[in-house]
Amino acid sequence: MSFENLNIIDPLSQALAKEGYITPTPIQMLAIPHLLKGKDLMGIAQTGTGKTAAFVLPILQRMSEEHKVPIPGVPRVLVLAPTRELAAQIGQSFATYGQFLRFRHTVIFGGVGQWLQVKVLSRGVDILVATPGRLLDLMNQGYIKLKGVEFFVLDEIDRMLDMGFINDVRKIVSALPLRRQSLFFAATMSPQTGEIAGRLLTDPVRVEAVSQASTPECIEHRVFFVDQNNKHPLLLGLLKQQDMKRVLVFTRTKHRADKVALMLTKNRINADAIHGNKSQNQRTKAMNNFKSGRLQVLVATDIAARGIDVDDISHVINYDLPNEPESYVHRIGRTGRAGANGIAYSFCAADERGILRSIERLTQMKIDVTAHQYHSNQAKNAVAVAAEPVPNKSRISPRSSRPKSSYELGLRKSYPVRRG
Ligand code: AMP
């Protein structure tokens, strides 16, 4: 996929071309289409994933739909960042990507005199990037009013909380107009960041970036066409024949996760399952055993896997393909971390053939087919209705089975995961 597929306007495409950026990073690919439609967004992404351009590009594009003369002290865009370095980098990104547009931006932060910052603000800026303390200072002195904010970005909120900015952030958020597009980025989520997201965002799209190290180049992707009833022996065969040190297996349901873990244990493979029906204690124990190498295989559902932070997972096996193609990207992002090579195997039965095609479309990648003793031509060639999930109890309906975020489980608000 290239930036052209994202319907980016010419002035932005030119700036991207000048920077030499042709292919969007996964977070850009997942976030930009929703942001261009005006959706709120909850992004789980670290620095280095291309997250800045993921919000700067669509904001600039949406701003340019309506020309407004900047009013002194009343920005249209407010980006909050925890540190002056990050704020400066974000400001630089607005300058770089917006070089062929005529928007004014400025960056304000503490630790330096305010005089110059006030002077720039008084000339009128469209885009304001700020650290929370200095922003509040200047708001209290009447130099900045947030009533004109149309786009609000809270970047690295987890770091802001660590730095004790929570009350400042709350005050700033309460001064924002209700009609606005809000974007929220955290490197990792905690109950506290979840709570802020819940208050800040309206019906947000949730996207999670995989780190650069997990881009497809360092991961070998393979698909095994197999009938549902042969998935057990196929998995067992692979585990016995190949040298697989630390294997994360994904199933579509909790019940199937338990069944697979039990089958492996019966065949003397050290395995356990983690999913939403297990207690926190059980999950922690399984995770620790997996980390220490006592467990060779951890079987997980998509939600449970969100908390897994293990670097050297040698193989990700999609025992079932996920219902949403984006989940494939998240799942395989668990292997090949920190520049290591990873292997992603996907078992595809006839009723998963359709989703495999969606995954290949999303990732712009043809996944290599592996020959094996349980190969199913029926699965490989399935089309139309035969390639769609069977709607019965064991093969759950798309609605109930779509991956839910941990926040959906813990908080009242709903965070739909959408197709890109
Ligand atoms: P960030 O995660 O926003 O800090 O970005 C990390 C680095 O990736 C920055 O130096 C960006 O300039 C660069 N970058 C952002 N988007 C792309 C892209 N699509 N292709 C290549 N590099 C990019």
Side-chain angles (χ1 to χ4, degrees), residues 3 21 23-25 28 46-53 89 97 212:
F3 277 108
Y21 299 162
T23 317
T25 65
Q28 293 164 2
Q46 291 164 351
T47 302
T49 52
K51 72 176 158 88
T52 316
Q89 268 174 40
Y97 301 121
Q212 294 287 42

Side-chain angles (χ1 to χ4, degrees), residues 231-410:
K231 283 185 173 180
H232 267 21
L234 173 60
L235 178 64
L236 209 51
L238 285 171
L239 286 166
K240 298 230 149 137
Q241 286 151 23
Q242 296 192 8
D243 179 25
M244 296 188 178
K245 270 213 236 34
R246 195 165 278 134
V247 187
L248 182 58
V249 174
F250 283 96
T251 61
R252 257 206 268 209
T253 64
K254 300 169 203 172
H255 177 65
R256 282 167 78 81
D258 280 336
K259 258 175 90 174
V260 171
L262 188 65
M263 180 277 292
L264 294 175
T265 313
K266 277 188 183 156
N267 283 280
R268 290 193 294 282
I269 288 172
N270 289 328
D272 204 347
I274 56 166
H275 51 66
N277 286 0
K278 299 259 180 177
S279 69
Q280 191 54 48
N281 258 353
Q282 288 172 313
R283 287 203 220 183
T284 311
K285 196 170 147 218
M287 281 291 304
N288 288 342
N289 285 339
F290 189 50
K291 265 190 191 166
S292 71
R294 235 169 301 162
L295 281 183
Q296 183 191 358
V297 183
L298 190 63
V299 190
T301 54
D302 285 286
I303 314 162
R306 293 233 161 103
I308 296 176
D309 180 24
V310 181
D311 269 346
D312 43 358
I313 291 174
S314 62
H315 294 72
V316 165
I317 298 184
N318 295 307
Y319 185 90
D320 297 318
L321 285 176
N323 285 321
E324 301 288 336
E326 287 90 347
S327 298
Y328 180 85
V329 181
H330 297 158
R331 286 178 177 189
I332 58 114
R334 305 280 164 196
T335 184
R337 283 207 174 165
N341 290 331
I343 295 177
Y345 288 158
S346 294
F347 294 0
C348 178
D351 60 349
E352 291 165 304
R353 190 67 180 92
I355 190 74
L356 180 68
R357 292 192 182 104
S358 309
I359 290 166
E360 290 186 326
R361 235 187 340 265
L362 176 80
T363 56
Q364 296 278 299
M365 169 179 75
K366 190 101 192 86
I367 302 179
D368 287 335
V369 180
T370 300
H372 59 98
Q373 73 179 106
Y374 303 104
H375 176 82
S376 163
N377 261 330
Q378 198 191 352
K380 182 166 183 269
N381 299 325
V383 286
V385 179
E388 298 302 324
V390 181
N392 68 23
K393 262 196 187 151
S394 60
R395 307 287 301 148
I396 46 186
S397 74
R399 211 161 214 304
S400 62
S401 63
R402 79 176 159 73
K404 292 191 187 88
S405 77
S406 41
Y407 311 101
E408 234 173 327
L409 301 172

